[in-house]
Amino acid sequence: MGFVLLSMENPQNSLEWMVFLAKKYMNMFLEGTWLTLYIAVIGTLLGFVVGYAVGIIQDMKVSKEDNVLKKLLLRVLKAAAAVYVEVFRDTPMIVQAMIIYYGLRQAGFNMTPVFAGVFVTVLNTGAYMAETVRGGIGSIDLGQREGAWALGMSPMKTMVYIVLPQAFQNIIPEMANTFLTNLKMTSVLNVIAVQELFMAAKTAGGNFYKYFESYLVIAVIYFVLCFVFNRLFIFMEKRLKGKTDYALAVEYMDNQ
């Protein structure tokens, strides 16, 4: 027992250094994990809202029967949505973080690094989800919309009650993938001084010049987080799909 305690106080190999760093800087790693989850969850949820709004705008059609004002408004909104999606899909998140944080501060808008990190995550997620939502809406058979219109439902009600619920189910895998990506991409926010998990590992590793072992610690943490959330999303997807034994029910009714 004495030898083990001495070994932990004087680590000799990478595994012992991992244990040593994890124990010594446990609070720092826990705080970094919490902040990583906070930014990923809030940023992703708000990003989904932005993505849905932009995706709906991109799917809207300009009709010949619309008045001039409505046509102009729709064209402006669709152009703005297209520019927004292209800019944030075609630039790295780390560059976006630098520009938004330091650019807005230079313009006089003071914000904390955490707020900037959430803001960047929202905008980045919204841009990617907009294309996913647009594709999900396009996957729904047009006949369902036409049927709803024939029953007297407005285009907006048709979108909200008929199209979006089905599109949501179709894009759950991509939503899960986006969240897991955001969970890992929060690591780039250390460039604007966000004290997330990567920054915690960088600080802990720098104190003993054991960066390899410190990054291995957070690699384990990232893996556990992503593994758990991935299983949760798979469970949610199966629950939303409902039962798959309808054929058995039909056979049962035929036998009665």
Side-chain angles (χ1 to χ4, degrees):
M1 179 65 71
F3 172 77
V4 174
L5 292 176
L6 180 62
S7 179
M8 289 297 100
E9 292 175 1
N10 300 278
Q12 301 298 317
N13 54 54
S14 294
L15 181 59
E16 291 179 359
W17 270 109
M18 285 179 63
V19 175
F20 174 78
L21 292 172
K23 292 177 64 177
K24 185 173 182 63
Y25 297 103
M26 180 182 298
N27 290 336
M28 185 186 297
F29 284 123
L30 288 176
E31 291 174 4
T33 301
W34 160 248
L35 191 54
T36 293
L37 283 171
Y38 175 80
I39 294 175
V41 171
I42 301 300
T44 303
L45 289 177
L46 294 179
F48 285 162
V49 176
V50 173
Y52 264 87
V54 175
I56 292 172
I57 290 173
Q58 290 181 316
D59 184 71
M60 296 174 70
K61 302 295 187 295
V62 179
S63 175
K64 294 181 179 180
E65 290 75 21
D66 295 335
N67 58 58
V68 177
L69 182 60
K70 184 176 181 180
K71 288 181 180 178
L72 179 62
L73 180 61
L74 282 177
R75 287 196 173 96
V76 170
L77 287 175
K78 289 173 76 68
V83 171
Y84 159 66
V85 170
E86 287 299 326
V87 168
F88 280 89
R89 280 170 59 92
D90 298 341
T91 55
M93 186 172 173
I94 189 171
V95 176
Q96 297 165 12
M98 297 286 282
I99 292 175
I100 289 176
Y101 180 63
Y102 293 110
L104 291 180
R105 286 179 67 87
Q106 187 173 332
F109 296 95
N110 292 324
M111 61 176 66
T112 64
V114 173
F115 180 85
V118 172
F119 188 46
V120 171
T121 305
V122 170
L123 294 177
N124 198 271
T125 301
Y128 281 93
M129 282 305 302
E131 290 298 293
T132 302
V133 170
R134 186 171 65 86
I137 292 174
S139 68
I140 306 304
D141 185 24
L142 183 60
Q144 297 196 33
R145 298 196 199 189
E146 294 174 345
W149 296 336
L151 292 174
M153 295 183 69
S154 66
M156 182 57 69
K157 284 188 176 180
T158 301
M159 179 64 70
V160 173
Y161 294 108
I162 304 297
V163 178
L164 285 183
Q166 297 180 79
F168 175 79
Q169 183 174 336
N170 291 341
I171 65 177
I172 284 180
E174 184 59 31
M175 291 173 63
N177 184 61
T178 300
F179 172 74
L180 295 178
T181 299
N182 285 343
L183 196 61
K184 293 174 286 187
M185 286 300 292
T186 54
S187 60
V188 306
L189 298 176
N190 73 92
V191 298
I192 58 173
V194 177
Q195 302 295 320
E196 40 68 59
L197 195 52
F198 184 86
M199 179 66 84
K202 188 176 181 180
T203 303
N207 290 336
F208 291 92
Y209 298 100
K210 290 294 180 180
Y211 292 104
F212 173 71
E213 290 79 4
S214 183
Y215 290 140
L216 280 178
V217 172
I218 65 168
V220 173
I221 297 174
Y222 277 123
F223 175 81
V224 171
L225 291 176
C226 291
F227 182 85
V228 171
F229 279 106
N230 189 43
R231 291 301 177 275
L232 288 175
F233 276 114
I234 292 174
F235 173 76
M236 183 173 70
E237 184 181 359
K238 288 182 178 179
R239 293 285 294 179
L240 287 175
K241 281 185 176 179
K243 297 181 179 180
T244 58
D245 57 350
Y246 298 111
L248 295 176
V250 172
E251 293 176 3
Y252 173 79
M253 293 298 295
D254 290 341
N255 293 330
Q256 297 302 309

